[in-house]
Amino acid sequence: QRFATYLPLSRIACELASTLLNLLKAQDDVEVPVRQLMCHLVCQLGSAWRVLQDQVSRVLAERGLSWPEYDSLVRHALANDTASLLGFMGAEAKRMRKPPLPVRTAQSKLAIKQAALCNVWGTWQQTTKDDWLEWSRRISVELLRQSPSPALRACAPVAQMHAPLARRLFQVSFIAAWSELSASSRESIVQSIELAFLSPSTPTEILQELLALAEYMERHDSALPISVRTLGEVATSCNAFAKALHYHELDYYIHESTQGSSRLVEALVSVHNSLKQPEAALGVLLRSQQH
């Protein structure tokens, strides 16, 4: 019925009318929708309805049915009373229009088991690449399982079976949980991330994943309390030179006038050379000589 209100049905009117009449003969409980569709067909065909009028009238007489609204529309159609037909179609369009959806209230946040979330970040058992990959997978799934967001938590069962989904949602699920953690829980997780950065057995994939997390948190004004020097050194070791440049520059501006700035100058020059930016490397050297 909704389609009949908006779509032209004249090309299939004969087949549709025949199907509706057969349906009317076979079932008694379809009279109302069949009648309404017939009315729409009458309005769309206009005076051409005379081709089907006798067939419909015969079936109605056999079934002992009386459709006053249909009979009225047929009279208007045969008389080429387009205004009356359009008026019926407009009224039906208003009747079939869906009411506006109710405004959804914000879903309440779910409780987090902070101890369980902190425990899964433990790095003391990881020695091989497979151990670290499994560690990353467990964290990604647990972040979804403990997420305060009902939508993210609903993804946990699927992520348990489909690891790429867990990885895809890792950053957003982390920041969702981060905002609900206590200070001690945050400190515990940050310590685990720092241990992962410092561990000689941590594979490059895991380091890059954690660096991406740190960058994501920084972009969303929730920077992790991890030394920019550490982040810069890890980024350099992963050959993520663009990230390394960002962190080394931050470190340089923070400690420019303190002891150890020469080491930062060397790091910046090295990163610029790795990025094939010799002019920038020369600029760093000139600035360091001025200060």
Side-chain angles (χ1 to χ4, degrees):
Q1 297 175 49
R2 193 177 301 277
F3 287 137
T5 305
Y6 301 103
L7 299 181
L9 302 176
S10 55
R11 292 188 178 183
I12 61 171
C14 292
E15 294 85 351
L16 182 56
S18 178
T19 300
L20 292 174
L21 291 175
N22 290 333
L23 189 61
L24 188 62
K25 294 177 184 178
Q27 301 182 37
D28 296 330
D29 57 346
V30 296
E31 178 189 351
V32 173
V34 167
R35 183 184 72 240
Q36 292 173 340
L37 279 173
M38 284 292 188
C39 290
H40 284 289
L41 286 176
V42 171
C43 293
Q44 292 199 24
L45 287 180
S47 59
W49 183 255
R50 67 178 73 252
V51 177
L52 298 169
Q53 182 184 6
D54 291 340
Q55 181 185 1
V56 176
S57 297
R58 185 167 53 252
V59 173
L60 294 180
E62 292 174 358
R63 304 292 296 175
L65 298 175
S66 176
W67 292 351
E69 186 178 41
Y70 163 81
D71 294 334
S72 175
L73 289 172
V74 169
R75 287 193 297 272
H76 291 307
L78 298 181
N80 286 322
D81 186 359
T82 306
S84 298
L85 300 180
L86 291 177
F88 172 82
M89 294 289 287
E92 283 295 290
K94 289 181 180 180
R95 185 179 67 83
M96 300 294 288
R97 189 176 296 131
K98 290 183 177 180
L101 295 174
V103 177
R104 294 184 177 180
T105 58
Q107 292 178 307
S108 58
K109 294 182 178 180
L110 303 175
I112 299 178
K113 296 179 181 178
Q114 299 193 29
L117 192 57
C118 292
N119 288 338
V120 79
W121 279 89
T123 60
W124 54 87
Q125 295 180 339
Q126 281 62 249
T127 56
T128 66
K129 179 178 179 179
D130 289 340
D131 291 338
W132 282 105
L133 293 176
E134 176 60 20
W135 174 80
S136 175
R137 188 197 68 81
R138 287 199 314 270
I139 290 174
S140 300
V141 173
E142 192 64 26
L143 282 169
L144 291 172
R145 189 179 289 125
Q146 299 298 336
S147 177
S149 166
L152 288 174
R153 189 172 292 197
C155 297
V158 180
Q160 179 74 41
M161 298 180 291
H162 187 63
L165 176 62
R167 289 196 299 271
R168 185 71 178 269
L169 296 176
F170 172 62
Q171 294 175 356
V172 67
S173 60
F174 182 91
I175 197 171
W178 181 260
S179 61
E180 302 299 315
L181 294 177
S182 65
S184 60
S185 296
R186 291 185 179 188
E187 183 179 356
S188 174
I189 290 175
V190 168
Q191 288 177 351
S192 296
I193 293 175
E194 290 176 331
L195 288 174
F197 280 148
L198 298 175
S199 174
S201 64
T202 308
T204 303
E205 301 97 300
I206 301 300
L207 294 176
Q208 291 174 337
E209 186 176 297
L210 294 176
L211 282 172
L213 174 64
E215 181 183 6
Y216 180 85
M217 295 294 288
E218 183 180 351
R219 287 203 311 269
H220 289 80
D221 300 322
S222 299
L224 296 175
I226 298 176
S227 166
V228 291
R229 181 171 300 181
T230 299
L231 293 172
E233 291 173 351
V234 173
T236 301
S237 69
C238 294
N239 294 331
F241 296 117
K243 287 186 176 68
L245 178 60
H246 169 67
Y247 293 123
H248 284 315
E249 285 180 340
L250 287 178
D251 196 17
Y252 178 79
Y253 290 127
I254 293 172
H255 302 97
E256 184 175 8
S257 60
T258 62
Q259 186 177 7
S261 60
S262 59
R263 184 197 58 79
L264 295 175
V265 170
E266 293 176 4
L268 279 171
V269 170
S270 175
V271 171
H272 279 302
N273 287 331
S274 298
L275 291 171
K276 302 187 186 305
Q277 296 175 343
E279 297 87 355
L282 180 60
V284 171
L285 289 173
L286 292 176
R287 179 181 174 83
S288 66
Q289 291 173 358
Q290 294 172 358
H291 293 77

